[in-house]
Amino acid sequence: MGDAKYIGRVGALAVALGIGIGAGMWPALAGAQTSESDSSDSTSATSATASDTSSDTASENPTKTTDTTGADASAPSETADETEDEDAPDLEVDDEEPPTDLADDESGDTIEPEPAPKNDSPLAEPEPRATKSSDDSTSVPARPSRSTVQAVDPVETTAAPAQLTRAIAVAVTSAASEPVPAPLVTSFDISAPVDVVPPSGTTAATTSAATLTSTALTWLGLTPTSTPSVPTPPVESPLMWAVLAARRLFGGQPEVAAPALAATSTSLSVADAVSPTAAPAQDVLEVGTSIQVGGSPAGVAVSDSRIYVANQATKTVSVIDRATGTISNVAVEGTPTEIVLTPDGSRVYVTLPDARKVAVIDTAADSVTATLTVGRAPTGLAVSPDGRKVYVGDIDQGVIWSIDVATNGVTALARVDTPTGLAVGPDGTVLYVASRDGENLSVLDVNTRRVLGTVQVGVAPRAVALTADGARAYITNTDDSVSVVDTTTRQVIATIPVGAVPLGVAISPDGEFVYVANGIDTVVVIETATNTAVQSVVTDGASERGDHYIAVAPDGRSVFVTDARDGVVRVLTVPAANPPGGTPTGIVWVGNVPTGGAVSPDGKWLYVVNSNNEGATAYPGTVSVIDIATNQVVATLDAGPNPQQVEFLTAPGGEYRAIVTNANGIVVFDTATHQSTGSMDLVGGAQDVVVSPDGQFVYVTNPTNDTVTVIKVAGAEVVGSYATGRSPAGIAITPDGRKLYVTNFFGTTVTAIDTVTGASKELPAEVVWGFDVAVSSDGRWAYVGDQSGQVVVIDTATDEVLARIVVPGPAIGLTAGPGGLIYVANVENDTMTIIDATNTVRATIPVGDTPWAVAVSPDGSRAYVVNSGAGSVTILDIGDSRRVEL
């Protein structure tokens, strides 16, 4: 592709962002805004509330929300460090009696979650579905002429009833306004009033109170209204062409390799111990090598480079180098049993129940740095996601203890009867505890130190594993079963037979499989989508009874099982059959200069946004609606000036809505009728859009205002905005809804926003004109594409750059698919690259002219590449890619 054509296309990108260089960048906004627009260094979020809401009222009546566990709590939530009682009983290490003032779970029954309030927003009656083409042919049609594409009549927008008209006045509050709770996007109370607040220690930028009269959406009870006060972003920025042309001066692309992977063991055949409930498409696990360690190995923990094994008989912890296979041993003061690794890999904590202690090992020096007295019989262990706290269950005293990682201070937290297995929720505020004698799962708030409720499970539960999003807990029971608990409703949703005496349980990094280690040398694989056993693997042909613990490598490709009777660690590998690739199977011609696309959640419709840009001029754009069953365009919709991206939202009634960004704001379509249900103008225009996982909030990047607008779905109102770097473009959200990542086109940073606290920060990612971002399906990594031909990988737990992956051209469009796959549109190379969860490039596939975006089917079997230069969509069969991450 020639240089002139590429510069022309990214010149259209400048039009999309509405930005240029120099003092005259925003001619259309002259006089419309009075505050300084450059907020690239700001970390505050501007709170916007209804004009008739006073700060006094907000402070006297704090907003009440429902957290994901179903228990009520006042927002905003505080961390365990901030709310731990100052008068919490200090542990007397020589006192054998348990503390007497701890909260326990004997005062009440299981707490049932409050039902979410009913959403009373009126919904429009669905219009008849648009008539499909009578041509059911599956052959690839001939490319229509450009004039033919432009001549397609858009579907007429249906106006909402006049009685639903409502104007929402949103005033920007001053810096002196009293802060109010930030929106808790993990809450499922869609009617609770929430606002966005600046982070502690910062103030909102002082601006004039500009009233934003929002046109609204029929499905949210509103109708379009006149918006004379909302400025229109500029459609011309000719100097942008020169900026993008300067990219040529960089020379070659940086040679940055993905991180090296540890060697995997040789795969052997698998024998089934018991018949699984359902058969997978292929074996999930294969038996590999065995590693001889100390006597009677128990707990096991794994990092990218090492394996840590607690050896009970020899009172040591084996440290195994995964790359070289070398083993060293660290002596401890008692019989080690459970073992956990902090998220940063710097420390290992090991329970020594016979010594009533917990050993702390420095992984850099492989030496014990502290041995802490903890209760009478420390058993279960769990570490908080931020690595600040380690929780220990004392099965003798029935007490949960908290260890401060920074100080090694030990504090009694709460009473739970005979605690065994522990797991911490993704936000670090909830601890799940299996009670052996109580035969239940206790839900403990670590901030208030109160047991919120209990869930009855199987007989004498032993271990707990939690999915990455905290939605499901899997508990092994000594009655040869696994209980599956929905943590939101606090109900057992499945009980799965797994084999004799199960103990260890672990979940694959993508959350697709649960691995259960039985006491008879077998491992059962449970598919989480169906909660059924799909494979049973014999790990030792000469089976003996004994405890088996289990851990999964961070890359998901290896599973490690300890065998106490044989003194070894069994290595199970996950075959990488059906590596991701792609075979072009068809082409669909759409509109002029398409820039975005998305597949509806039900997999029926592909919405493709046609920006209709030519050079520096933005003409009215359209949306092409493609029936995925026939690969035919069945409707062409009017999308307003310079539309860019599309995202889907599930409406309160279960219907799907397509949200399309354009130069003015957003326009919404009902996928049942392919009719527009309304629009909303936003200050700063709209470039990209994302919806919170619970469907309560819509986040939109405003490229000419350096903000992200927050729209509350219930009531269709703008509740605030977050400050970003200069010219925010792409936006993505983590699966738990707690964090947003925003690319700043005119800058080298990525803005990370905490949606719960409202805090934001600029990450020094050193990207070159970053345009798009995607978060992996398991939420572990954020991927940022830039113009230099690299994809920057950010660890979402630490917000640090993990890797830089070279791709064959400027990475314009990124999309996350199932199984941890990332799809990258390489705009100048006319290819699409697939990156797997190990941050390895698995395939680069030729597509159409100037690929700009990628959409993926919900099951990951197909990818749809939007080709901006060709005005087409290339359809790729990806095949069975769901196990690639394992």
Side-chain angles (χ1 to χ4, degrees):
M1 182 174 61
D3 289 0
K5 181 167 68 172
Y6 170 72
I7 295 173
R9 291 302 172 198
V10 284
L13 167 61
V15 176
L17 295 175
I19 47 183
I21 296 180
M25 286 191 298
W26 299 286
L29 296 181
Q33 297 180 354
T34 60
S35 62
E36 292 293 322
S37 61
D38 189 348
S39 58
S40 61
D41 296 330
S42 172
T43 61
S44 65
T46 303
S47 174
T49 60
S51 59
D52 59 349
T53 303
S54 67
S55 61
D56 292 338
T57 303
S59 62
E60 293 173 2
N61 299 290
T63 300
K64 197 173 187 181
T65 59
T66 304
D67 66 17
T68 55
T69 67
D72 289 339
S74 294
S77 298
E78 296 178 280
T79 65
D81 290 342
E82 295 167 341
T83 63
E84 190 174 51
D85 292 352
E86 295 181 359
D87 60 349
D90 294 330
L91 177 66
E92 296 293 338
V93 296
D94 295 326
D95 184 3
E96 296 187 355
E97 292 303 318
T100 59
D101 63 341
L102 298 176
D104 60 36
D105 62 346
E106 298 176 358
S107 59
D109 297 326
T110 301
I111 298 176
E112 297 295 337
E114 294 182 2
K118 181 180 179 182
N119 181 10
D120 295 326
S121 298
L123 299 174
E125 290 293 327
E127 297 292 335
R129 178 169 296 183
T131 304
K132 295 184 182 179
S133 170
S134 59
D135 183 8
D136 292 328
S137 173
T138 57
S139 61
V140 177
R143 173 69 168 100
S145 65
R146 180 70 71 191
S147 60
T148 303
V149 174
Q150 293 175 334
V152 176
D153 293 331
V155 175
E156 182 180 357
T157 300
T158 303
Q163 63 268 26
L164 297 181
T165 303
R166 174 183 172 193
I168 303 177
V170 181
V172 179
T173 58
S174 66
S177 298
E178 195 72 21
V180 293
L184 181 63
V185 299
T186 53
S187 168
F188 287 85
D189 180 3
I190 64 174
S191 63
V194 289
D195 292 309
V196 181
V197 298
S200 176
T202 62
T203 58
T206 302
T207 62
S208 61
T211 301
L212 312 180
T213 307
S214 303
T215 55
L217 321 174
T218 299
W219 50 275
L220 295 176
L222 309 175
T223 55
T225 58
S226 177
T227 57
S229 64
V230 179
T232 302
V235 294
E236 295 185 1
S237 47
L239 291 181
M240 181 61 184
W241 295 356
V243 174
L244 294 170
R247 176 190 169 279
R248 303 290 180 178
L249 302 179
F250 281 111
Q253 298 173 351
E255 294 296 328
V256 184
L261 302 177
T264 57
S265 57
T266 304
S267 299
L268 303 176
S269 61
V270 177
D272 287 340
V274 295
S275 299
T277 305
Q282 66 181 66
D283 284 337
V284 180
L285 292 178
E286 292 181 352
V287 179
T289 59
S290 296
I291 304 171
Q292 194 73 40
V293 288
S296 300
V300 58
V302 187
S303 69
D304 289 323
S305 59
R306 291 182 169 188
I307 308 167
Y308 300 89
V309 183
N311 304 305
Q312 293 182 315
T314 55
K315 296 186 178 181
T316 60
V317 172
S318 292
V319 183
I320 306 168
D321 188 304
R322 294 183 61 192
T324 65
T326 58
I327 303 175
S328 60
N329 291 290
V330 180
V332 291
E333 294 183 13
T335 302
T337 305
E338 301 277 353
I339 187 168
V340 294
L341 186 68
T342 56
D344 62 1
S346 65
R347 292 180 180 87
V348 168
Y349 288 79
V350 188
T351 59
L352 312 172
D354 61 336
R356 305 181 179 182
K357 295 179 179 180
V358 171
V360 185
I361 299 175
D362 183 335
T363 59
D366 286 339
S367 62
V368 175
T369 59
T371 302
L372 313 175
T373 302
V374 182
R376 289 180 181 172
T379 48
L381 277 176
V383 61
S384 62
D386 60 8
R388 295 181 179 181
K389 297 286 186 181
V390 172
Y391 300 102
V392 186
D394 181 352
I395 195 170
D396 191 323
Q397 292 180 308
V399 175
I400 303 299
W401 303 88
S402 173
I403 300 175
D404 188 301
V405 171
T407 66
N408 285 334
V410 180
T411 305
L413 194 66
R415 285 186 184 278
V416 174
D417 184 28
T418 56
T420 51
L422 280 68
V424 186
D427 64 358
T429 63
V430 178
L431 182 67
Y432 298 89
V433 184
S435 169
R436 184 195 63 190
D437 294 349
E439 298 187 344
N440 59 45
L441 181 71
S442 293
V443 182
L444 172 63
D445 187 321
V446 298
N447 293 340
T448 64
R449 307 191 304 173
R450 297 286 177 180
V451 174
L452 303 176
T454 60
V455 183
Q456 291 302 125
V457 290
V459 174
R462 303 186 69 183
V464 183
L466 203 64
T467 55
D469 60 2
R472 299 284 187 272
Y474 290 80
I475 302 98
T476 55
N477 308 304
T478 54
D479 60 1
D480 305 343
S481 70
V482 168
S483 297
V484 185
V485 174
D486 184 317
T487 59
T488 301
T489 63
R490 297 186 194 144
Q491 294 180 349
V492 173
I493 59 174
T495 300
I496 307 167
V498 290
V501 200
L503 171 57
V505 59
I507 301 179
S508 62
D510 65 354
E512 187 174 357
F513 297 106
V514 175
Y515 305 113
V516 180
N518 292 324
I520 54 171
D521 289 319
T522 63
V523 173
V524 170
V525 181
I526 297 171
E527 188 174 52
T528 58
T530 60
N531 282 326
T532 56
V534 296
Q535 187 184 8
S536 179
V537 183
V538 175
T539 60
D540 182 8
S543 175
E544 311 102 344
R545 281 183 176 264
D547 283 347
H548 294 72
Y549 292 76
I550 193 167
V552 183
D555 63 8
R557 294 185 179 276
S558 300
V559 177
F560 302 91
V561 183
T562 59
D563 188 332
R565 294 293 296 272
D566 294 333
V568 299
V569 174
R570 311 285 184 189
V571 183
L572 309 179
T573 61
V574 180
N578 299 321
T583 303
T585 59
I587 296 176
V588 180
W589 303 109
V590 288
N592 190 20
V593 194
T595 55
V599 178
S600 60
D602 58 5
K604 294 181 178 180
W605 311 105
L606 171 65
Y607 274 50
V608 178
V609 179
N610 308 304
S611 68
N612 203 19
N613 285 326
E614 290 291 351
T617 304
Y619 298 101
T622 61
V623 171
S624 297
V625 180
I626 299 172
D627 185 333
I628 287 180
T630 63
N631 290 335
Q632 300 289 326
V633 176
V634 296
T636 302
L637 317 176
D638 183 3
N642 195 19
Q644 290 297 309
Q645 299 296 330
V646 58
E647 183 63 278
F648 285 92
L649 166 73
T650 302
E655 306 90 350
Y656 300 120
R657 302 288 188 260
I659 304 174
V660 178
T661 62
N662 61 33
N664 291 337
I666 60 174
V667 59
V668 180
F669 300 95
D670 183 343
T671 60
T673 63
H674 306 311
Q675 299 283 329
S676 171
T677 61
S679 62
M680 178 181 286
D681 290 342
L682 301 174
V683 168
Q687 172 64 26
D688 201 1
V689 58
V690 71
V691 178
S692 64
D694 60 12
Q696 293 190 50
F697 296 94
V698 174
Y699 303 94
V700 183
T701 55
N702 314 122
T704 65
N705 202 40
D706 297 343
T707 56
V708 170
T709 295
V710 184
I711 303 170
K712 185 180 177 183
V713 173
E717 58 180 328
V718 174
V719 294
S721 63
Y722 297 114
T724 65
R726 191 175 174 192
S727 303
I731 188 170
I733 192 167
T734 54
D736 62 5
R738 291 181 59 88
K739 189 176 286 187
L740 295 167
Y741 289 91
V742 181
T743 61
N744 302 308
F745 189 76
F746 274 151
T748 61
T749 64
V750 174
T751 304
I753 301 169
D754 188 319
T755 60
V756 177
T757 66
S760 65
K761 58 182 176 180
E762 297 302 310
L763 309 182
E766 296 300 324
V767 296
V768 181
W769 294 327
F771 184 61
D772 204 5
V773 59
V775 173
S776 59
S777 57
D778 61 4
R780 292 160 60 190
W781 295 313
Y783 296 81
V784 181
D786 76 359
Q787 306 299 307
S788 69
Q790 67 173 345
V791 175
V792 179
V793 186
I794 298 173
D795 187 329
T796 59
T798 64
D799 284 336
E800 295 180 353
V801 172
L802 176 70
R804 298 177 187 272
I805 306 171
V806 174
V807 293
I812 286 291
L814 281 76
T815 298
L821 298 181
I822 300 296
Y823 300 82
V824 184
N826 305 309
V827 65
E828 194 173 15
N829 188 253
D830 295 346
T831 60
M832 181 194 72
T833 293
I834 302 177
I835 300 171
D836 71 13
T838 66
N839 295 325
T840 302
V841 172
R842 284 304 187 91
T844 296
I845 307 157
V847 289
D849 183 8
T850 321
W852 204 267
V854 182
V856 181
S857 62
D859 63 0
S861 63
R862 278 192 171 186
Y864 301 87
V865 183
V866 176
N867 305 306
S868 181
S872 67
V873 174
T874 300
I875 304 172
L876 300 172
D877 274 342
I878 302 299
D880 183 11
S881 61
R882 66 195 184 108
R883 291 190 174 87
V884 171
E885 183 176 355
L886 298 172

